[in-house]
């Protein structure tokens, strides 16, 4: 009889093999002949959007993670619901995804359809757009292999319990990432994405109660209570994940956590758990190492569960299956 640990090991091996097989169909110059201005068009689009709306980089980064992590980087999160189907973007965990992430991809797709009709997939657009947006806010550059296809399905039911929650214990997070083939260190590196962006008050207000704010800097906890005092009447109230350099991609997130300036329960957990704390301390003192490991983890994430060739399609519109 096969033991549960053996099944888990086999599952990870299969996932890694599938990722390698998909990667073999992808190349960095995939559009060099079919759409030679692809990278220029995406770069121009994201630059204009980021200048007008500085929260775009964080919004797109979160959108990318919510697309890739559950079932692979296939642009399924971009699809709108219909009268006959509730799509991923309308699952409860995705309802708070900022609209600017969707908008920048739609803008790039519109421009690309004019230049190269029915050529570039939405999943390739979001992968490159996120990379380029991160660079604009100070993050590392990394190569993106191209040639993904978009999924032909998007169902809210397929993402249930597959995305990390801010309130999750570290053991649960480690198990989630491990099931996708990611190490503890890669999980911590990817958590560094919280150096930009914001979280809604409902995600952490229970943690900053005056009688239960363990791990928080007392003055920070007091400031959070004041900032979120009206969140029940205004659920859009939010706070920057990194209160020190909120619009810059750097290692300040890791420097904040040991000082009690982490925002979410999972942030504090990274420092309190002995399995993840060494990596928090490493990245807090060495930004170059964080950038290197983050870039590698993002490359790996961008290849997770991708569709190639006839496995998927190239959507004419990113929000609708052909």
């Amino acid at each position: 009889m096969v033991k549960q640990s053996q099944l888990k090991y086999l599952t990870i091996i299969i996932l890694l093999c599938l990722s390698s097989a998909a990667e073999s169909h992808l190349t960095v110059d995939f559009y060099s002949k079919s759409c030679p201005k692809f990278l220029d068009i995406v770069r121009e689009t994201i630059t204009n959007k980021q200048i007008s709306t500085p929260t775009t980089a964080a919004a797109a980064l979160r959108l990318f993670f919510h697309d890739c992590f559950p079932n692979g980087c296939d642009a399924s999160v971009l699809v709108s619901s219909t009268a006959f189907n509730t799509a991923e973007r309308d699952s409860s965990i995705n309802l708070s995804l900022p609209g600017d992430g969707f908008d920048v991809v739609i803008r790039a797709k519109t421009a690309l359809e004019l230049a190269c009709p029915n050529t570039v997939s939405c999943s390739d657009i979001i992968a490159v757009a996120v990379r380029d947006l991160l660079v604009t806010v100070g993050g590392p550059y990394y190569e993106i292999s191209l040639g993904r296809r978009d999924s032909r399905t998007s169902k809210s039911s397929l993402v249930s319990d597959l995305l990390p929650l801010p309130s999750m214990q570290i053991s649960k997070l480690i198990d989630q990432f491990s099931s996708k083939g990611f190490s503890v260190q890669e999980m911590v590196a990817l958590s560094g994405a919280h150096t930009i962006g914001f979280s809604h008050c409902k995600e952490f207000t229970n943690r900053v109660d005056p009688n239960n704010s363990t791990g928080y800097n007392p003055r920070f906890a007091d400031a959070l209570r004041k900032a979120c005092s009206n969140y029940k009447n205004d659920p859009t109230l939010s706070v920057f994940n990194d209160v020190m350099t909120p619009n810059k991609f750097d290692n300040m997130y890791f420097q904040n956590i040991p000082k009690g300036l982490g925002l979410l329960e999972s942030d504090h957990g990274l420092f309190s758990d002995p399995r993840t704390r060494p990596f928090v301390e490493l990245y807090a003192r060495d930004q170059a190492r964080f950038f290197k490991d983050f870039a590698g983890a993002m490359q790996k994430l961008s290849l997770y569960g991708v569709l190639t060739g006839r496995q998927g399609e190239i959507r004419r519109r990113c929000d609708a299956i052909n």
Side-chain angles (χ1 to χ4, degrees), residues 149-152 307-314:
R149 291 292 186 263
D150 301 323
S151 68
R152 296 188 178 94
L307 305 174
T308 57
R310 296 181 180 179
Q311 294 174 327
E313 65 179 15
I314 297 175

PDB file of all heavy atoms in Angstrom, residues 149-152 307-314:
ATOM      1  N   ARG A 149      -0.336  29.593 -23.707  1.00  0.00           N
ATOM      2  CA  ARG A 149      -1.687  29.720 -24.241  1.00  0.00           C
ATOM      3  C   ARG A 149      -2.640  30.014 -23.087  1.00  0.00           C
ATOM      4  O   ARG A 149      -2.350  29.737 -21.925  1.00  0.00           O
ATOM      5  CB  ARG A 149      -2.113  28.433 -24.958  1.00  0.00           C
ATOM      6  CG  ARG A 149      -1.351  28.176 -26.256  1.00  0.00           C
ATOM      7  CD  ARG A 149      -1.723  29.225 -27.312  1.00  0.00           C
ATOM      8  NE  ARG A 149      -1.127  28.940 -28.606  1.00  0.00           N
ATOM      9  CZ  ARG A 149      -0.011  29.473 -29.062  1.00  0.00           C
ATOM     10  NH1 ARG A 149       0.667  30.312 -28.294  1.00  0.00           N
ATOM     11  NH2 ARG A 149       0.452  29.194 -30.252  1.00  0.00           N
ATOM     12  N   ASP A 150      -3.785  30.586 -23.432  1.00  0.00           N
ATOM     13  CA  ASP A 150      -4.790  30.927 -22.433  1.00  0.00           C
ATOM     14  C   ASP A 150      -5.748  29.748 -22.232  1.00  0.00           C
ATOM     15  O   ASP A 150      -6.042  28.998 -23.176  1.00  0.00           O
ATOM     16  CB  ASP A 150      -5.589  32.148 -22.896  1.00  0.00           C
ATOM     17  CG  ASP A 150      -4.697  33.358 -23.130  1.00  0.00           C
ATOM     18  OD1 ASP A 150      -3.730  33.531 -22.361  1.00  0.00           O
ATOM     19  OD2 ASP A 150      -4.970  34.125 -24.079  1.00  0.00           O
ATOM     20  N   SER A 151      -6.246  29.627 -21.033  1.00  0.00           N
ATOM     21  CA  SER A 151      -7.166  28.524 -20.728  1.00  0.00           C
ATOM     22  C   SER A 151      -8.510  28.723 -21.416  1.00  0.00           C
ATOM     23  O   SER A 151      -8.910  29.853 -21.721  1.00  0.00           O
ATOM     24  CB  SER A 151      -7.386  28.422 -19.217  1.00  0.00           C
ATOM     25  OG  SER A 151      -8.108  29.547 -18.759  1.00  0.00           O
ATOM     26  N   ARG A 152      -9.199  27.634 -21.621  1.00  0.00           N
ATOM     27  CA  ARG A 152     -10.540  27.677 -22.219  1.00  0.00           C
ATOM     28  C   ARG A 152     -11.632  27.614 -21.163  1.00  0.00           C
ATOM     29  O   ARG A 152     -12.823  27.606 -21.494  1.00  0.00           O
ATOM     30  CB  ARG A 152     -10.718  26.521 -23.210  1.00  0.00           C
ATOM     31  CG  ARG A 152      -9.781  26.577 -24.425  1.00  0.00           C
ATOM     32  CD  ARG A 152     -10.166  25.507 -25.444  1.00  0.00           C
ATOM     33  NE  ARG A 152      -9.328  25.561 -26.632  1.00  0.00           N
ATOM     34  CZ  ARG A 152      -8.230  24.838 -26.812  1.00  0.00           C
ATOM     35  NH1 ARG A 152      -7.828  24.014 -25.852  1.00  0.00           N
ATOM     36  NH2 ARG A 152      -7.529  24.926 -27.922  1.00  0.00           N
ATOM     37  N   LEU A 307       0.027  26.339 -20.237  1.00  0.00           N
ATOM     38  CA  LEU A 307      -0.526  25.616 -21.384  1.00  0.00           C
ATOM     39  C   LEU A 307       0.243  26.033 -22.635  1.00  0.00           C
ATOM     40  O   LEU A 307       0.593  27.200 -22.797  1.00  0.00           O
ATOM     41  CB  LEU A 307      -2.010  25.957 -21.562  1.00  0.00           C
ATOM     42  CG  LEU A 307      -2.912  25.728 -20.343  1.00  0.00           C
ATOM     43  CD1 LEU A 307      -4.325  26.246 -20.624  1.00  0.00           C
ATOM     44  CD2 LEU A 307      -2.949  24.260 -19.953  1.00  0.00           C
ATOM     45  N   THR A 308       0.498  25.085 -23.504  1.00  0.00           N
ATOM     46  CA  THR A 308       1.176  25.399 -24.758  1.00  0.00           C
ATOM     47  C   THR A 308       0.452  24.713 -25.912  1.00  0.00           C
ATOM     48  O   THR A 308      -0.301  23.751 -25.709  1.00  0.00           O
ATOM     49  CB  THR A 308       2.649  24.930 -24.739  1.00  0.00           C
ATOM     50  OG1 THR A 308       2.691  23.523 -24.469  1.00  0.00           O
ATOM     51  CG2 THR A 308       3.438  25.668 -23.666  1.00  0.00           C
ATOM     52  N   GLY A 309       0.680  25.223 -27.134  1.00  0.00           N
ATOM     53  CA  GLY A 309       0.106  24.605 -28.328  1.00  0.00           C
ATOM     54  C   GLY A 309      -1.406  24.454 -28.255  1.00  0.00           C
ATOM     55  O   GLY A 309      -2.128  25.389 -27.887  1.00  0.00           O
ATOM     56  N   ARG A 310      -1.875  23.256 -28.527  1.00  0.00           N
ATOM     57  CA  ARG A 310      -3.320  23.010 -28.572  1.00  0.00           C
ATOM     58  C   ARG A 310      -3.948  22.839 -27.193  1.00  0.00           C
ATOM     59  O   ARG A 310      -5.168  22.651 -27.094  1.00  0.00           O
ATOM     60  CB  ARG A 310      -3.592  21.764 -29.425  1.00  0.00           C
ATOM     61  CG  ARG A 310      -3.198  21.929 -30.891  1.00  0.00           C
ATOM     62  CD  ARG A 310      -3.515  20.689 -31.700  1.00  0.00           C
ATOM     63  NE  ARG A 310      -3.133  20.837 -33.096  1.00  0.00           N
ATOM     64  CZ  ARG A 310      -3.288  19.887 -34.019  1.00  0.00           C
ATOM     65  NH1 ARG A 310      -3.821  18.716 -33.675  1.00  0.00           N
ATOM     66  NH2 ARG A 310      -2.913  20.114 -35.256  1.00  0.00           N
ATOM     67  N   GLN A 311      -3.137  22.913 -26.146  1.00  0.00           N
ATOM     68  CA  GLN A 311      -3.691  22.799 -24.798  1.00  0.00           C
ATOM     69  C   GLN A 311      -4.568  23.998 -24.448  1.00  0.00           C
ATOM     70  O   GLN A 311      -5.430  23.906 -23.578  1.00  0.00           O
ATOM     71  CB  GLN A 311      -2.558  22.690 -23.766  1.00  0.00           C
ATOM     72  CG  GLN A 311      -1.740  21.417 -23.875  1.00  0.00           C
ATOM     73  CD  GLN A 311      -0.549  21.445 -22.926  1.00  0.00           C
ATOM     74  OE1 GLN A 311       0.023  22.501 -22.666  1.00  0.00           O
ATOM     75  NE2 GLN A 311      -0.183  20.282 -22.421  1.00  0.00           N
ATOM     76  N   GLY A 312      -4.313  25.115 -25.120  1.00  0.00           N
ATOM     77  CA  GLY A 312      -5.076  26.322 -24.831  1.00  0.00           C
ATOM     78  C   GLY A 312      -5.362  27.101 -26.089  1.00  0.00           C
ATOM     79  O   GLY A 312      -5.306  26.570 -27.193  1.00  0.00           O
ATOM     80  N   GLU A 313      -5.664  28.376 -25.918  1.00  0.00           N
ATOM     81  CA  GLU A 313      -6.007  29.235 -27.044  1.00  0.00           C
ATOM     82  C   GLU A 313      -5.370  30.608 -26.871  1.00  0.00           C
ATOM     83  O   GLU A 313      -4.815  30.914 -25.814  1.00  0.00           O
ATOM     84  CB  GLU A 313      -7.529  29.391 -27.138  1.00  0.00           C
ATOM     85  CG  GLU A 313      -8.138  30.122 -25.932  1.00  0.00           C
ATOM     86  CD  GLU A 313      -9.641  30.290 -26.030  1.00  0.00           C
ATOM     87  OE1 GLU A 313     -10.251  29.609 -26.868  1.00  0.00           O
ATOM     88  OE2 GLU A 313     -10.195  31.109 -25.271  1.00  0.00           O
ATOM     89  N   ILE A 314      -5.439  31.413 -27.930  1.00  0.00           N
ATOM     90  CA  ILE A 314      -5.060  32.817 -27.835  1.00  0.00           C
ATOM     91  C   ILE A 314      -6.354  33.614 -27.881  1.00  0.00           C
ATOM     92  O   ILE A 314      -7.008  33.691 -28.927  1.00  0.00           O
ATOM     93  CB  ILE A 314      -4.124  33.236 -28.981  1.00  0.00           C
ATOM     94  CG1 ILE A 314      -2.819  32.449 -28.900  1.00  0.00           C
ATOM     95  CG2 ILE A 314      -3.837  34.736 -28.920  1.00  0.00           C
ATOM     96  CD1 ILE A 314      -1.875  32.694 -30.052  1.00  0.00           C
TER      97      ILE A 314
END
